[in-house]
Amino acid sequence: MSQQTWTAVDDYFNGLLMAEDAALLSAVADSDAAGLPPHQVAPNQGKLLHLLARIQGARTVLEIGTLGGYSTIWLARALPADGRLVTLEADERCADVAARNIARAGVDHVVDLRVGNALDTLPLLADEGAGPFDLVFIDADKPSNPAYLDWALRLTRPGSVLVGDNVVREGAVVDPASEDPRVQGIRRFTELVAEHPRLTATTVQTVGVKGYDGFTLALVTD
């Protein structure tokens, strides 16, 4: 199978099952125009996050890694009018673009965008008594994923859902000798999920417009 086939299949199902509106399309276009890396989730993956939040009945969401706000919009649209989505972004340039995209999508009333290194802002959330969050989406620098997992568990409750993105790395995750810190971060993250007594999880490999990757889905059980 080829990237061309994967993209064609994504296009087929996306055309039938979902359609990006002007706010989502503009979020991608403005992110590209600002020179942000094209690391936002694919449209069908954004819809998956939206559906997971709705299935979960989420009222509170924590997103670690905002980028241009594309996934933020998908998640925010799944929340009730009095819901809350806290999204953390380390890069001020990304945060500026995301803030405009979120406002244009009309979901800024439920989004709390915080700028700064997540390992600095997560303790502040804990100090504020934020949470427990019903869903946590981890999609930031992969070497820090083990630390993000630790904070996610502090800020959730039994029944909360955790989603970790980009965990397959085109298959590189299976190489224990990899010198890529992103791969090692994902490997340690996965080991911690596997051994944690409060989590049950699975990982799903994906192919599509974003190539070959995958995500981990975990449930906080206790």
Side-chain angles (χ1 to χ4, degrees):
M1 291 296 177
S2 67
Q3 179 63 59
Q4 182 178 4
T5 299
W6 299 342
T7 300
V9 171
D10 265 2
D11 289 345
Y12 169 75
F13 284 110
N14 289 346
L16 287 172
L17 300 177
M18 54 160 289
E20 294 175 286
D21 62 13
L24 288 166
L25 292 170
S26 295
V28 174
D30 284 9
S31 296
D32 291 344
L36 304 191
H39 295 162
Q40 70 274 357
V41 299
N44 53 354
Q45 294 164 349
K47 183 67 174 290
L48 175 63
L49 291 171
H50 176 88
L51 290 173
L52 286 173
R54 291 185 63 181
I55 292 166
Q56 169 71 343
R59 302 183 66 85
T60 56
V61 172
L62 172 62
E63 178 182 49
I64 304 175
T66 315
L67 194 61
Y70 183 81
S71 56
T72 315
I73 295 168
W74 275 113
L75 286 164
R77 286 177 169 177
L79 298 179
D82 61 347
R84 184 186 186 208
L85 190 160
V86 178
T87 184
L88 310 179
E89 176 53 52
D91 188 314
E92 289 190 14
R93 185 169 59 108
C94 292
D96 287 344
V97 173
R100 293 193 296 272
N101 288 334
I102 291 164
R104 179 172 49 215
V107 293
D108 48 324
H109 64 291
V110 297
V111 176
D112 179 1
L113 171 58
R114 304 198 179 194
V115 184
N117 188 302
L119 295 181
D120 295 326
T121 52
L122 285 164
L124 296 177
L125 283 176
D127 289 344
E128 294 169 14
F133 291 96
D134 300 317
L135 186 148
V136 179
F137 179 44
I138 302 172
D139 190 18
D141 60 307
K142 307 313 173 190
S144 297
N145 263 27
Y148 295 151
L149 176 65
D150 179 62
W151 280 107
L153 286 165
R154 299 188 200 191
L155 292 165
T156 50
R157 57 167 176 78
S160 294
V161 170
L162 313 181
V163 182
D165 202 14
N166 306 126
V167 299
V168 173
R169 317 299 305 177
E170 296 186 332
V173 70
V174 301
D175 180 8
S178 173
E179 296 181 359
D180 186 335
R182 297 168 298 181
V183 171
Q184 291 302 330
I186 291 298
R187 287 178 62 86
R188 183 57 185 151
F189 167 82
T190 307
E191 291 162 0
L192 290 169
V193 169
E195 68 191 26
H196 203 287
R198 294 180 58 209
L199 292 174
T200 183
T202 189
T203 293
V204 177
Q205 298 182 76
T206 60
V207 295
V209 296
K210 293 290 183 176
Y212 172 37
D213 213 322
F215 63 91
T216 293
L217 179 67
L219 176 69
V220 181
T221 59
D222 189 11

